[in-house]
Every structure is written in C-alpha cells, then in structure tokens.
Amino acid sequence: MTTSARKPFRNPRARHNYLGRPCSIAAVGAYVPERVVTNADLEQLVETSDEWIFTRTGIKERRQAAAGEATSDLAAKAAQRAMANAQVSADQIDLIITATVTPDMPFPSTSCLVQQKIGAKRAAAFDIEAACSGFIYALEIGQQFIMSRTYDTVLVIGADKLTSVVDWADRNTCVLFGDGAGAAILQNRPGSHGLLTVCLGADGSKGDVLCVPGGGSRLPASTQSLAQRQHYIRMDGRETFKYAVQAMLAAGKEALTRCELDISQIACVIPHQANRRIIEAVSERLGARPEQVFINLDRYGNTSAASVALALDEAVACGRVQRGDLILLVVFGAGFTWGAAVIEW
Ligand code: ACO
C-alpha cells in the first residue's frame, strides 16, 4: 500500500525530516542459516574456550551459511519475509539497496542477484558498503528516495556472510562473527512516522584497524596474497573496542538531541551486536536501563550489516517492540563508520 500524502511532516520531534514526505518502516524480516557453530565447536579449531569467548564478548553461538549458500541467498530470504510481513508484492518494489561487505562476487551487485531471486523485475538495484554500519546507511539512503517522492516502495537489506572472510586459524577474530540477513520495506504510510532521524559518521584514517586487505584493486588475488592470508579479516580488537564505544555514544546522543528526546522515552535501544561489553558501556553512558536494551548476540555473534536488522526483527516478532514505540538503533563498523537512528515503530 502506498500513498502520495502531501501534508508536510509536522512531528516536532523530527526537525531533521520536516520537509520531506514521511518515511515509515512498513515491516521487517530476517533470515539466518540453519547451521549453528557453538563456542565448543571453535575449541576444536583454535586455542580458545567457551569461558573466554563468553566472558569477553557475550557470544555463545553463531550461524554459518552452508557451502554454496551466498549472501544473496540469505538476503533474498530475509527480503521475502519482510515483503510478506508488509504485504508487499515483488512488482511493487521500486528499488533494492543491499548493504554488505561480502557480496556474492565483485560484480554484479548482490542487489541485482536479489532482484532476480525475488522477482522484483521493476526494481532498480545497487549495493552500498559501510561494513557493520551498512543497514543504517542504507535506511538513510532509502528514506531519501521516499521523502523526495522518487520511489514509493524501497527494499533495504543488511546481509553478510562474514564466515567467508574469517581466518579460521586466528582466534582473535574467528570467534566473533556469524552469517545472517535482515530486511526492511520502506514506504510512506499515513499515520505512521517511521524514521524520525538518522545520524551518520565515518573516519577513514582508521581504515587499517579493521579490514580485509586483499581481493580489491590495491591487492588483487595472487599466489602471494593467498599465502599471506590477505583475504581474511584483520582487526586490532582493543582499538576497535575503544573507538566503537566513543562513536556509538556520540551518535546515539546526537540522534536523541535532534529529536528532542530523553533516553527514558526510548522503549528499546538496539545496538550493533558485536560485543556485550561494548553494548553495556554505550548503554550505561547513554543512561539506558538494562531492560531497555535488546541483545541477541549470544545466539548470532556479529553479523555485520545484518546485525541491527536481525535484532529489530526479533524484537518486533517477540513483542518487545510495539507499534508507536520509540526505538534507538546505534551502530559501528569498519571504515570506521557509525550511525544512529530514531524510529517511531
Ligand atoms: N581465546 C582465547 N584467548 C584469546 C582469544 C580467544 N578467542 N582471542 C584473543 N585471545 C587472547 C589474546 O591473544 C591476548 O593474549 P596475550 O595477552 O597473551 O596477547 C588475550 O586473549 C587478551 O586479548 P585482548 O585483546 O586484551 O582481549 P580483549 O579483552 O580486548 O577482548 C576482543 C578481545 C573480544 C576482540 C575485544 O577487543 C573486542 O571485542 N573488540 C572489538 C571487536 C569488535 O567489536 N569488532 C567488530 C566491530 S566492527 C564490525 O563489526 C566489523
């Protein structure tokens, strides 16, 4: 269902969006692969323990895509669930935006592959890359197309198969990540205010702190790059941790300030699910009570661009978020990139 309501957006909490046509999240959907990899499974691969992983990260298990199951497969399944929840058919979709750092291949884009899989023949399609912050970046881009009345229905996806770039011999990183996908249908829906604000940021000077050095134009795949394990994730964990807390806190505060909201008015804070200690540090400094914060990383680990979309889908599905509730999403990822969004569900 789409409309072309011409009323200006008059929600006083959302000055940021004042001039545009309001953009709502009509529904969300998510998908995770069936295979569960527990901390005990990882004890068989590297020198680690369930105790170390759980204490340092809060992760108990994660999902791993099957051999031959690619990011577009996860993304298409999440998209179909979001479409069903929003009662939107494939031919209604005007645009597909997929946020991913693990595309099926360098080109064509994963969004084009999803377009074919879900049969959205009318849709334009492109990918964006902002690592774990990708879903919020994609939401903001999708929202602009709704606000400007360029498109009526935008499918936004956050999907990653990080297990395809994890070095299974590196205990510093292989315990952290998992695979998954989350999707949202953006539309203008009368009576629903949806996205109230989105704040985005980046610091490219920190690019080498968390990266996959090989496989691009700087270091194309070669015998040498393979031998040097350049196609896997490299991360300075402590530096990432410190920066993540500062950036997520600043973005979360800015989003609340823009909407003239106090944290006590937020029904559910959904942070990027990377590390429980990061989530607790950010939540505490934002002044959020533990019961306001939604956490599911114990079951999925860090699913990168899928992370907050997957958590939002679960929060809605289990009734933790009700229509009319205010939600704060806060994210952080490689780049470094970060962002926060306030949503009126
Ligand atoms: N099992 C056992 N020991 C380990 C493991 C493991 N899996 N991994 C590291 N260690 C060891 C280290 O080698 C180190 O040993 P050493 O002192 O002998 O050198 C020791 O544990 C402590 O390492 P620290 O780096 O101090 O551990 P820390 O408490 O910082 O936790 C962690 C490490 C979990 C990686 C943490 O720094 C972190 O979560 N950082 C942020 C990571 C993150 O969130 N990344 C993604 C964000 S962006 C995105 O999503 C792409």
Side-chain angles (χ1 to χ4, degrees), residues 49-95:
S49 65
D50 174 51
E51 197 271 333
W52 192 97
I53 300 170
F54 187 66
T55 316
R56 302 289 178 120
T57 70
I59 299 166
K60 293 295 271 181
E61 59 188 42
R62 67 287 293 142
R63 299 298 180 98
Q64 184 175 8
E69 192 177 22
T71 298
S72 70
D73 300 314
L74 311 181
K77 285 179 178 151
Q80 280 162 334
R81 289 179 181 177
M83 288 158 61
N85 291 339
Q87 295 181 304
V88 159
S89 61
D91 59 8
Q92 278 179 272
I93 297 171
D94 300 306
L95 174 66

Side-chain angles (χ1 to χ4, degrees), residues 46-49 52-53 56-57 101 131-133 162 170-177 210 233 235-242 244 272-278 302-305 332-334 336-337:
V46 287
E47 198 182 327
T48 189
S49 65
W52 192 97
I53 300 170
R56 302 289 178 120
T57 70
V101 286
C132 303
S133 309
L162 276 193
D170 176 13
R171 68 177 182 173
N172 290 291
T173 52
C174 76
V175 301
L176 303 175
F177 301 105
L210 175 55
I233 295 174
M235 181 182 72
D236 177 338
R238 284 186 199 177
E239 178 71 7
T240 305
F241 191 111
K242 277 190 290 183
H272 173 45
Q273 308 283 314
N275 182 312
R276 191 173 188 113
R277 290 185 297 144
I278 294 177
N302 180 349
T303 55
S304 188
F332 183 79
F336 287 142
T337 54

Side-chain angles (χ1 to χ4, degrees), residues 144-200:
Q144 299 298 329
F145 284 105
I146 301 289
M147 286 167 62
S148 66
R149 299 170 193 270
T150 307
Y151 293 126
D152 288 325
T153 304
V154 177
L155 168 60
V156 170
I157 304 169
D160 267 309
K161 184 185 171 185
L162 276 193
T163 61
S164 66
V165 289
V166 154
D167 184 346
W168 293 104
D170 176 13
R171 68 177 182 173
N172 290 291
T173 52
C174 76
V175 301
L176 303 175
F177 301 105
D179 302 332
I185 301 287
L186 304 187
Q187 287 183 328
N188 166 253
R189 291 212 170 180
S192 169
H193 288 136
L195 283 158
L196 301 188
T197 198
V198 180
C199 309
L200 303 175

Side-chain angles (χ1 to χ4, degrees), residues 254-274:
E254 188 188 340
L256 291 173
T257 303
R258 277 194 196 174
C259 298
E260 295 171 14
L261 285 168
D262 183 81
I263 189 71
S264 61
Q265 295 169 273
I266 299 293
C268 190
V269 179
I270 303 185
H272 173 45
Q273 308 283 314

Side-chain angles (χ1 to χ4, degrees), residues 2-344:
T2 59
T3 72
S4 304
R6 293 201 175 271
K7 283 184 196 159
F9 197 30
R10 295 211 180 279
N11 186 330
R13 292 197 302 252
R15 287 172 301 167
H16 177 55
N17 290 346
Y18 189 72
L19 291 174
R21 177 174 65 159
C23 173
S24 306
I25 299 182
V28 287
Y31 175 79
V32 288
E34 279 171 29
R35 184 174 174 212
V36 176
V37 178
T38 64
N39 291 347
D41 294 329
L42 295 176
E43 288 173 4
Q44 310 302 313
L45 287 181
V46 287
E47 198 182 327
T48 189
S49 65
D50 174 51
E51 197 271 333
W52 192 97
I53 300 170
F54 187 66
T55 316
R56 302 289 178 120
T57 70
I59 299 166
K60 293 295 271 181
E61 59 188 42
R62 67 287 293 142
R63 299 298 180 98
Q64 184 175 8
E69 192 177 22
T71 298
S72 70
D73 300 314
L74 311 181
K77 285 179 178 151
Q80 280 162 334
R81 289 179 181 177
M83 288 158 61
N85 291 339
Q87 295 181 304
V88 159
S89 61
D91 59 8
Q92 278 179 272
I93 297 171
D94 300 306
L95 174 66
I96 303 169
I97 307 170
T98 305
T100 185
V101 286
T102 49
D104 289 26
M105 56 191 98
F107 62 86
S109 71
T110 299
S111 291
C112 284
L113 303 173
V114 170
Q115 188 234 35
Q116 187 271 327
K117 284 182 205 295
I118 65 173
K121 291 185 183 146
R122 286 183 47 247
F126 65 88
D127 290 357
I128 66 115
E129 205 252 68
C132 303
S133 309
F135 186 69
I136 285 191
Y137 267 73
L139 275 184
E140 173 68 321
I141 298 166
Q143 154 163 271
Q144 299 298 329
F145 284 105
I146 301 289
M147 286 167 62
S148 66
R149 299 170 193 270
T150 307
Y151 293 126
D152 288 325
T153 304
V154 177
L155 168 60
V156 170
I157 304 169
D160 267 309
K161 184 185 171 185
L162 276 193
T163 61
S164 66
V165 289
V166 154
D167 184 346
W168 293 104
D170 176 13
R171 68 177 182 173
N172 290 291
T173 52
C174 76
V175 301
L176 303 175
F177 301 105
D179 302 332
I185 301 287
L186 304 187
Q187 287 183 328
N188 166 253
R189 291 212 170 180
S192 169
H193 288 136
L195 283 158
L196 301 188
T197 198
V198 180
C199 309
L200 303 175
D203 180 356
S205 73
K206 299 288 179 187
D208 58 351
V209 178
L210 175 55
C211 63
V212 176
S217 58
R218 172 78 52 201
L219 194 61
S222 66
T223 312
Q224 195 185 11
S225 72
L226 286 174
Q228 292 174 346
R229 308 180 84 75
Q230 304 270 21
H231 301 274
Y232 297 129
I233 295 174
R234 302 252 178 105
M235 181 182 72
D236 177 338
R238 284 186 199 177
E239 178 71 7
T240 305
F241 191 111
K242 277 190 290 183
Y243 208 117
V245 172
Q246 287 167 14
M248 290 169 78
L249 179 63
K253 279 185 173 172
E254 188 188 340
L256 291 173
T257 303
R258 277 194 196 174
C259 298
E260 295 171 14
L261 285 168
D262 183 81
I263 189 71
S264 61
Q265 295 169 273
I266 299 293
C268 190
V269 179
I270 303 185
H272 173 45
Q273 308 283 314
N275 182 312
R276 191 173 188 113
R277 290 185 297 144
I278 294 177
I279 292 175
E280 286 171 352
V282 172
S283 308
E284 205 172 287
R285 287 169 212 194
L286 277 173
R289 287 171 282 110
E291 58 272 25
Q292 282 175 280
V293 184
F294 191 82
I295 299 179
N296 66 358
L297 93 165
D298 49 319
R299 284 170 290 126
Y300 304 119
N302 180 349
T303 55
S304 188
S307 166
V308 284
L310 188 54
L312 176 60
D313 178 70
E314 277 203 4
V316 171
C318 74
R320 178 68 185 69
V321 165
Q322 306 283 340
R323 280 287 167 200
D325 279 353
L326 293 169
I327 305 168
L328 175 65
L329 305 184
V330 196
V331 296
F332 183 79
F336 287 142
T337 54
W338 57 86
V342 177
I343 298 166
E344 189 171 65

